[in-house]
């Protein structure tokens, strides 16, 4: 009889843990920018510098694209952001005033044109 009681307590613990993890995820108060940087031919650009700047506060966060052209800037406060991308031999690209909402990832594909970086 004791082993059934132990198993029930163990199952109760597992269900409680699963429930708590679900609640914690549901209470996310930030957003992520998860994107890809490509050239005009659609080829990925590795090593591009991506900067997200909060329009209201001026706070900025950076990322560098990986070998697949992908980047992630996690845990950003909700609000409007300017997202700029720079890479050698490409013109700078800026997404102006994009809106980030709580718990929703922004997933842009940002295209860079060949040329020199300009302001």
């Amino acid at each position: 009889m004791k082993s059934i009681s132990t198993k029930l307590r163990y199952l109760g613990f597992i269900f409680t843990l699963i429930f708590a993890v679900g609640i914690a995820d549901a209470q996310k108060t930030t957003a992520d920018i998860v994107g890809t940087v490509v050239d005009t031919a659609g080829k990925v650009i590795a090593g591009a510098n991506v900067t997200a700047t909060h329009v209201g506060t001026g706070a900025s966060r950076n990322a560098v694209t990986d070998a697949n052209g992908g980047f992630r800037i996690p845990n950003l406060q909700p609000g409007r952001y300017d997202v700029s991308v720079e890479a050698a031999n490409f013109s700078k690209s800026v997404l102006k005033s994009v809106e980030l909402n709580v718990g929703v990832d922004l997933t842009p594909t940002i295209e860079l044109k060949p040329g020199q970086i300009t302001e």
Side-chain angles (χ1 to χ4, degrees):
M1 192 63 134
K2 186 175 181 179
S3 79
I4 292 175
S5 177
T6 302
K7 288 178 184 178
L8 288 175
R9 274 190 261 166
Y10 178 73
L11 283 174
F13 174 75
I14 295 297
F15 285 123
T16 302
L17 183 62
I18 291 170
F19 181 72
V21 169
I23 288 174
D25 190 46
Q27 293 179 353
K28 184 174 180 181
T29 60
T30 59
D32 300 347
I33 301 176
V34 183
T36 306
V37 178
V38 298
D39 65 13
T40 54
K43 294 181 181 177
V44 298
I45 300 174
N49 294 306
V50 184
T51 303
T53 304
H54 191 281
V55 173
T57 65
S60 65
R61 298 268 306 278
N62 302 306
V64 177
T65 58
D66 60 23
N68 298 315
F71 68 92
R72 174 181 289 273
I73 304 175
N75 302 319
L76 295 168
Q77 294 301 312
R80 294 199 174 278
Y81 285 81
D82 291 338
V83 181
S84 64
V85 182
E86 298 178 81
N89 302 314
F90 290 92
S91 296
K92 181 178 181 178
S93 180
V94 180
L95 302 178
K96 288 281 193 182
S97 201
V98 294
E99 184 75 27
L100 286 183
N101 296 304
V102 172
V104 179
D105 291 348
L106 178 67
T107 57
T109 298
I110 303 169
E111 183 180 287
L112 296 183
K113 296 177 181 173
Q116 297 299 317
I117 295 176
T118 58
E119 287 297 318

